[in-house]
């Protein structure tokens, strides 16, 4: 897989072309992808596009990161905290 | 921002879902020179069974070989659309118009006939802590390994029920991970009593390969009590009767079999029926996989039975659509259904466990609805699912009940209520399409 660089909350993260965004985030040490209504940390869960726990913003659109392939220069926003 | 009018496309047949069932159907139509479009919401074709990176393609069983041959045959064709989600189906003038979102654009496909092959998702038995980062579905671990070549951690614990636990643990370890333990909920005696009848040569060989590597780390009759975060690690407490066991790993993979994805079929007008021996609510079809009104269904949506059943059914559905019938395939399907029934029976969750889920356990992950909230409404004597939804907000979140509905169904059944299907309204998966959501896509 070809190496690519994406931006996560403004920081450069190395990834591999064609892999799913969720995999790249996990390898970069990002464990929390979003917060639930009660503020609990959530992350990759079903890995197949069913549960919506892995929602992040990529290039301005909400996507399920487990079924979204990374692209060179992709700008990702992950809810932190 | 104003949206462009969706582009309309006419076709003889639309296949929804490009797993092994949809691919098999497409190949039959292809061979008969029929005009069709195949759409799948994933960025790749192949569904759950064939989701492999190109540099890592196992051809270990006959079914997998045939599956990859289908993928190869259809590769690069223009009428095969990836990253294309079916989110609605509208009836008018005796015509169906199926709404598909692709790259932020909407297409209206007007097919004469539809084949639904949308597969299945995993089922879960919730426990306190199951929403923590580091607790994944078994399928998520497998997908990370197979599609992205990534391990979710160095050491993993697997707990749940079904042969899939073993298959995924095997693939994870072959990719360089370390399996600390596999905890099968069902007791060994039950498996030994029923399994030998269910396995044929292909499945037996596959099982042996997994067991050779992992047998010493398999435990039977154990249930997850709870899980907690311990720094970056996950601490899992397991129980068997009064015995307790605590393990610490980088992640816990959990899964309790599969449940059919019937939503797309339902918006296309198909009926569903509750068949626990086939995984829960399944799409109702005839022997020829016809659901009526020009819609056919095949694969896991008609009952959980594994890749070979899906392969056979894909062919049957496409032949039916063409007005043809192959007795040999129909007989093969009968055998697969018998296998499916024994498998779903052996690896089921004992009914009383649904009632024992602790009150503080989250059931609806989207809306943070807990077991106690649901119990309260049920104990107050609710009579319809609708009331339960309105009072607790279960099934009302982003995933539209895909995760919690099968759980609530099993709980209600354990409480002696008759399972009710969920009413499905388009758009399916609205957050993703972004089209109808405030603050969503422009
Ligand atoms: C997570 C998971 C992992 C599995 N792993 C294995 C395994 O390793 N070995 C094995 O034998 N069996 C496995 N199974 C069982 C598996 O379901 C079958 O073996 C096989 O994949 C079924 O093929 P299918 O074509 O019926 O469904 P699937 O392979 O599930 O294909 C269905 C396809 O439909 C698409 N789809 C669904 N809804 C829509 C929509 N609205 N719009 C567009 N597309 C849609 C999906 O993206 C998917 O690609 C797994 C099941 C799951 C859920
Ligand atoms: S992890 Fe469930 S949708 Fe991505």
């Amino acid at each position: 897989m070809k190496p690519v660089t994406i931006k996560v909350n403004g920081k450069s993260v190395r990834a591999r072309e064609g892999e799913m965004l969720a995999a790249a985030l996990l390898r970069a040490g990002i464990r929390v992808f979003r917060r639930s209504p009660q503020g609990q940390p959530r992350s990759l869960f079903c890995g197949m596009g069913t549960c919506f726990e892995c929602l992040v913003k990529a290039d301005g659109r909400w996507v399920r990161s487990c079924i979204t392939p990374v692209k060179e220069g992709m700008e990702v926003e992950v809810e932190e905290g | 921002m104003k949206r462009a009018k969706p582009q309309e496309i006419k076709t003889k047949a639309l296949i929804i879902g490009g797993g092994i069932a949809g691919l098999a159907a497409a190949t039959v139509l292809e061979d008969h020179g029929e005009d069709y479009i195949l759409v799948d919401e994933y960025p790749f074709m192949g569904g759950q069974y064939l989701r492999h990176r190109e540099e890592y393609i196992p051809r270990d069983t006959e079914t997998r070989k045939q599956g990859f041959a289908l993928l190869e045959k259809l590769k690069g064709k223009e009428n095969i659309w990836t990253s294309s989600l079916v989110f609605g189906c509208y009836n008018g003038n005796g015509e169906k118009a199926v709404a598909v979102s692709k790259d932020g654009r909407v297409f209206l496909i007007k097919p004469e006939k539809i084949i639904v092959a949308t597969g299945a998702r995993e089922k879960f038995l919730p426990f306190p802590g199951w929403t923590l980062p580091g607790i994944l579905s078994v399928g998520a671990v497998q997908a990370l390994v197979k599609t992205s070549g990534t391990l979710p951690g160095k050491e993993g614990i697997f707990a749940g029920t079904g042969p899939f636990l073993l298959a995924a643990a095997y693939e994870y370890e072959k990719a360089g991970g370390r399996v600390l333990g596999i905890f099968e909920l069902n007791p060994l005696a039950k498996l030994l009593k029923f399994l030998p009848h269910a396995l044929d040569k292909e499945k037996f060989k596959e099982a042996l390969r997994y067991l050779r590597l992992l047998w010493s780390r398999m435990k039977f009759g154990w249930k997850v009590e709870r899980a907690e975060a311990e720094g970056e690690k996950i601490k899992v407490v397991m129980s068997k009767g009064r015995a307790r066991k605590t393990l610490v790993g980088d992640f816990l993979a959990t899964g309790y079999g599969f449940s059919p994805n019937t939503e797309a079929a339902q918006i296309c007008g198909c009926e569903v029926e509750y068949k626990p021996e086939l995984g829960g609510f399944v799409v109702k079809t005839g022997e020829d996989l016809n659901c009526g009104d020009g819609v056919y269904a095949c694969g896991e949506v008609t009952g959980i039975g594994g890749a070979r059943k899906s392969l056979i059914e894909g062919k049957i559905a496409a032949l039916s659509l063409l007005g043809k019938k192959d007795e040999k395939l129909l007989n093969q399907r009968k055998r697969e259904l018998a296998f499916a029934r024994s498998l779903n029976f052996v690896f089921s969750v004992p009914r009383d466990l649904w009632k024992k889920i602790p009150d503080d356990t989250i059931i609806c992950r989207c809306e943070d609805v807990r077991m106690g909230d649901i119990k309260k409404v049920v104990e107050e004597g609710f009579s319809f699912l609708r009331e339960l939804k309105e009072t607790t907000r279960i099934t009302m979140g982003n995933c539209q009940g895909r995760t919690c509905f099968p759980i609530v169904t099993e709980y209600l059944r354990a409480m002696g209520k008759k399972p009710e299907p969920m009413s499905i309204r388009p758009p399916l998966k609205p957050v993703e399409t972004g089209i109808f959501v405030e603050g969503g896509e422009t």
Side-chain angles (χ1 to χ4, degrees):
Chain A
M1 283 179 174
K2 212 175 96 190
V4 295
T5 306
I6 60 172
K7 279 228 155 84
V8 182
N9 295 346
K11 282 215 306 260
S12 289
V13 164
R14 294 210 332 198
R16 302 185 291 230
E17 193 173 77
E19 75 174 329
M20 298 307 136
L21 178 54
L25 294 174
L26 287 181
R27 270 208 323 282
I30 298 163
R31 272 169 65 90
V32 180
F33 291 8
R34 57 176 213 101
R35 295 265 158 186
S36 75
Q38 289 177 2
Q40 298 184 358
R42 296 290 166 80
S43 185
L44 178 76
F45 178 64
C46 76
M48 59 173 293
T50 300
C51 73
F52 287 75
E53 291 283 33
C54 66
L55 275 186
V56 300
K57 250 188 185 166
D59 293 334
R61 280 171 55 188
W62 287 107
V63 298
R64 286 165 285 171
S65 56
C66 68
I67 59 166
T68 303
V70 296
K71 276 197 300 236
E72 176 64 49
M74 190 179 235
E75 303 226 355
V76 185
E77 286 166 56
V78 176
E79 230 179 287
E80 271 176 319
Chain B
M1 204 193 271
K2 245 176 97 183
R3 218 165 253 292
K5 200 166 167 273
Q7 190 184 336
E8 286 190 16
I9 300 171
K10 283 201 185 231
T11 182
K12 174 80 187 277
L14 171 68
I15 305 174
I16 310 175
I20 192 165
L23 292 170
T27 309
V28 170
L29 296 182
E30 188 85 31
D31 290 345
H32 283 82
E34 203 59 74
D35 165 53
Y36 72 94
I37 295 175
L38 165 59
V39 298
D40 197 295
E41 69 167 309
Y42 290 169
F44 49 84
M45 284 288 156
Q48 303 308 334
Y49 190 58
L50 308 168
R51 47 151 62 222
H52 294 265
R53 285 170 293 137
E54 283 192 3
E55 56 280 24
Y56 169 64
I57 293 186
R59 291 177 201 272
D60 47 357
T61 63
E62 192 47 42
T63 311
R64 233 191 279 269
K65 270 185 224 155
Q66 285 190 35
F68 283 111
L70 297 175
L71 259 184
E72 196 59 38
K73 183 163 173 174
L74 299 172
K75 203 169 160 183
K77 290 197 161 286
E78 264 176 31
N79 55 336
I80 303 225
W81 299 12
T82 51
S83 301
S84 302
L85 169 78
V86 166
F87 68 89
C89 177
Y90 308 93
N91 273 298
N93 307 328
E95 261 191 342
K96 281 190 165 54
V98 178
V100 178
S101 126
K102 179 173 174 53
D103 305 323
R105 282 180 66 194
V106 176
F107 295 83
L108 269 186
I109 301 185
K110 294 191 165 172
E112 284 169 34
K113 305 219 163 125
I114 299 175
I115 295 180
V116 183
T118 45
R121 54 177 172 265
E122 273 183 280
K123 278 196 295 214
F124 305 98
L125 175 62
F127 50 85
W130 75 304
T131 55
L132 289 168
I135 299 187
L136 299 85
S137 79
V138 180
V141 174
Q142 191 195 42
L144 279 175
V145 171
K146 290 206 305 200
T147 313
S148 300
T150 296
L151 299 181
K154 287 196 193 83
E155 296 183 322
I157 303 158
F158 291 72
T161 190
F164 183 43
L165 226 53
L166 192 58
Y170 177 88
E171 283 166 9
Y172 163 72
E173 189 147 300
K174 283 283 167 190
R178 166 92 191 144
V179 175
L180 294 178
I182 302 176
F183 294 85
E184 164 61 53
L185 177 69
N186 282 288
L188 186 58
K190 181 180 175 196
L191 306 188
L192 287 179
K193 189 163 167 202
F194 295 101
L195 266 188
H197 309 288
L199 292 179
D200 60 19
K201 224 167 107 197
E202 182 179 301
K203 286 181 171 125
F204 189 69
K205 260 172 68 186
E206 205 176 347
L208 265 189
R209 182 153 45 92
Y210 299 153
L211 287 174
R212 228 174 267 140
L213 181 73
L214 295 165
W215 176 251
S216 62
R217 281 167 278 164
M218 287 198 74
K219 305 268 182 292
F220 297 88
W222 287 84
K223 159 180 174 255
V224 183
E225 220 31 61
R226 60 174 191 277
E228 289 157 25
E230 205 173 78
E232 295 266 285
K233 296 202 175 246
I234 294 290
K235 182 168 111 185
V236 189
V237 180
M238 306 288 314
S239 71
K240 181 175 181 171
R242 280 212 211 116
R244 295 282 180 280
K245 206 189 263 297
T246 304
L247 277 93
V248 178
D250 292 314
F251 67 90
L252 166 68
T254 187
Y256 293 80
F258 305 116
S259 174
N261 292 326
T262 59
E263 294 79 8
Q266 286 175 271
I267 56 165
C268 290
C270 300
E271 276 181 51
V272 293
E273 54 188 339
Y274 183 71
K275 290 209 166 160
E277 75 279 15
L278 290 175
F281 280 100
V282 302
V283 178
K284 205 168 162 180
T285 71
E287 204 192 28
D288 55 357
L289 301 180
N290 194 339
C291 313
D293 207 21
V295 186
Y296 302 77
C298 55
E300 300 284 73
V301 276
T302 71
I304 303 303
R308 200 168 54 194
K309 170 177 168 291
S310 291
L311 176 69
I312 295 164
E313 288 198 353
K315 294 181 195 168
I316 296 176
L319 287 173
S320 287
L321 183 149
L322 296 166
K324 294 178 196 292
K325 186 167 153 178
D326 180 333
E327 289 294 341
K328 210 173 121 205
L329 285 174
L330 293 182
N331 284 328
Q332 286 176 357
R333 171 167 187 258
K334 279 194 196 127
R335 280 202 294 279
E336 293 299 329
L337 281 175
F339 165 74
R341 290 198 180 93
S342 25
L343 211 65
N344 290 313
F345 165 73
V346 175
F347 295 106
S348 56
V349 175
R351 257 199 226 192
D352 61 318
L353 291 188
W354 299 104
K355 289 197 269 190
K356 287 187 187 152
I357 299 172
D359 283 359
D360 63 343
T361 312
I362 286 179
I363 301 299
C364 165
R365 302 173 63 110
C366 299
E367 299 284 325
D368 286 338
V369 182
R370 288 165 201 267
M371 191 69 224
D373 305 329
I374 295 169
K375 267 191 196 159
K376 214 170 98 204
V377 181
V378 173
E379 277 159 15
E380 277 164 12
F382 98 109
S383 40
F384 294 106
L385 193 61
R386 185 166 34 87
E387 290 167 29
L388 194 57
K389 278 170 74 165
E390 279 163 9
T391 22
T392 66
R393 291 195 58 77
I394 55 154
T395 79
M396 310 270 275
N398 282 341
C399 87
Q400 299 175 313
R402 283 179 178 80
T403 316
C404 70
F405 177 66
I407 300 168
V408 173
T409 299
E410 293 310 320
Y411 167 69
L412 292 177
R413 187 162 164 251
M415 295 297 286
K417 302 217 178 246
K418 195 168 166 270
E420 266 180 87
M422 197 160 66
S423 55
I424 306 290
R425 261 180 249 112
L428 301 179
K429 307 192 175 177
V431 181
E432 177 79 2
T433 55
I435 293 159
F436 302 91
V437 211
E438 233 184 56
E441 204 224 18
T442 50

